[in-house]
Amino acid sequence: MSQKRSNRAVVDGWVVLDKPVGLTSTQAVSRLKRIYNAQKAGHAGTLDPLASGILPVAFGEATKTVPFVQDGEKAYRFTVRWGAESNTDDSDGEITRTSEKRPERAEIEGLMPQFLGDILQTPPQFSAIKIAGARAYDLARDGAQVDLKARAVTIHSLTIEAFSPGETVFFMECGKGAYVRAIARDLGRLMGCYGHVTALRRTRVGPFIEEDSYTLDEIEAQGMAADAMLSVEAGLSELPCVVVDRDTAARLRRGGSVILRGRDAPAEGVVYAACGGVPVAFGEVIEGALEPARVFNLPF
């Protein structure tokens, strides 16, 4: 019996979604797949239902560039309520500890340098980290005590944008794998007042910023879906680009390595090659030769 053919369309590119509060990242991707009737899509970095903001969604060939976007720098604006800690480290969880103490601004600022630079951070119990094949949040929901090891993360900046005795609004820029909820938890414990996140907005993921984003309502509006779609190349914009001719592009697409020539050709590092403004492949340059790791099936 012949296999039923999909009536979904081949869609290649990026959509920078401004995800609303209350929607999971998976639900958001499903909504976009329906809007574009797309065969394949995935997101670059989970946002909790409590959170809003930048959720980059890759379609088709753009899914090959997801790791570069996920590994990029991120920025968050978040509110911490002092006086209580929850089992999820945000307001979606159950309160597990309380305190009558409320911190002074100077006390918070005095501790913030401990959270800058390369630090060790223990992820929240309710996180998407996999343990023996299961997500930590699934194990935690089942009542298991999840043993998550502290891991190295990088916090580039952490500043206070607004302060009151009961709540503080922070802005943070960080590298891959850092948890805002862990910052709230650990600051609260250090001060003995406890704390949890009540509002969170992501304002940047890798090359994508708020100015690039569209809401679901905007994308669903007539004629706007096409405007929201960025090129596959948008996910590679933080990598150096090597321009190649058609013969070289064809060789790369067959998986062959090529010697990069020219005064500006990189001798080493991760780059992507493009022909006629269209990505062909990405890979590592070793001693002047580009070894393709993945190739793109896009017309040029």
Side-chain angles (χ1 to χ4, degrees):
M1 181 181 293
S2 62
Q3 188 175 6
K4 185 177 179 181
R5 296 180 64 183
S6 171
N7 60 0
R8 289 188 176 272
V10 175
V11 179
D12 301 306
W14 281 94
V15 170
V16 185
L17 179 66
D18 186 344
K19 188 191 82 69
V21 172
L23 202 65
T24 69
S25 296
T26 299
Q27 289 169 336
V29 172
S30 295
R31 287 275 296 273
L32 286 177
K33 281 187 72 175
R34 288 197 297 271
I35 292 170
Y36 288 95
N37 191 34
Q39 291 180 355
K40 184 178 182 181
H43 63 75
T46 301
L47 269 183
D48 296 331
L50 171 76
S52 67
I54 301 300
L55 182 69
V57 178
F59 292 85
E61 290 294 289
T63 58
K64 297 174 181 177
T65 71
V66 163
F68 298 111
V69 176
Q70 279 185 323
D71 290 351
E73 294 186 5
K74 299 171 181 65
Y76 300 90
R77 181 172 290 106
F78 61 102
T79 302
V80 178
R81 182 169 297 160
W82 306 113
E85 183 177 302
S86 76
N87 62 346
T88 60
D89 300 315
D90 62 24
S91 55
D92 283 344
E94 298 178 2
I95 299 299
T96 55
R97 297 177 176 178
T98 60
S99 172
E100 295 300 318
K101 179 184 176 181
R102 299 296 181 269
E104 298 291 336
R105 179 171 183 147
E107 184 179 13
I108 300 171
E109 290 177 333
L111 292 170
M112 282 165 52
Q114 297 185 34
F115 296 86
L116 291 173
D118 297 328
I119 65 171
L120 289 177
Q121 184 186 75
T122 302
Q125 292 276 302
F126 285 76
S127 63
I129 294 171
K130 283 190 174 182
I131 301 174
R135 298 288 185 184
Y137 53 65
D138 288 328
L139 297 172
R141 289 191 188 108
D142 290 338
Q145 184 64 33
V146 181
D147 183 22
L148 293 172
K149 305 297 183 183
R151 55 186 191 169
V153 299
T154 302
I155 310 297
H156 300 296
S157 70
L158 181 64
T159 57
I160 293 176
E161 291 198 338
F163 172 81
S164 68
E167 287 188 341
T168 304
V169 179
F170 295 90
F171 182 77
M172 183 175 86
E173 296 173 304
C174 60
K176 178 184 179 182
Y179 279 89
V180 165
R181 288 178 289 146
I183 298 288
R185 177 200 66 206
D186 294 343
L187 262 174
R189 288 179 180 178
L190 278 174
M191 294 185 293
C193 64
Y194 305 121
H196 63 279
V197 172
T198 58
L200 170 62
R201 180 168 179 79
R202 188 160 66 188
T203 61
R204 177 188 174 188
V205 179
F208 301 125
I209 57 177
E210 287 182 293
E211 287 76 8
D212 300 322
S213 68
Y214 290 81
T215 66
L216 283 168
D217 287 342
E218 288 172 336
I219 295 170
E220 287 174 330
Q222 185 174 3
M224 288 299 292
D227 292 339
M229 183 68 66
L230 301 175
S231 67
V232 171
E233 195 172 3
L236 297 165
S237 60
E238 294 188 328
L239 289 180
C241 175
V242 176
V243 178
V244 298
D245 58 28
R246 296 181 69 89
D247 289 341
T248 303
R251 179 175 176 82
L252 285 169
R253 281 189 170 175
R254 293 193 298 269
S257 65
V258 297
I259 300 295
L260 300 179
R261 305 188 186 280
R263 185 178 57 186
D264 298 325
E268 59 183 16
V270 178
V271 304
Y272 78 96
C275 178
V278 177
V280 174
F282 64 80
E284 186 174 3
V285 179
I286 303 173
E287 296 181 349
L290 173 55
E291 301 282 350
R294 298 291 300 273
V295 300
F296 299 100
N297 298 310
L298 297 167
F300 59 83

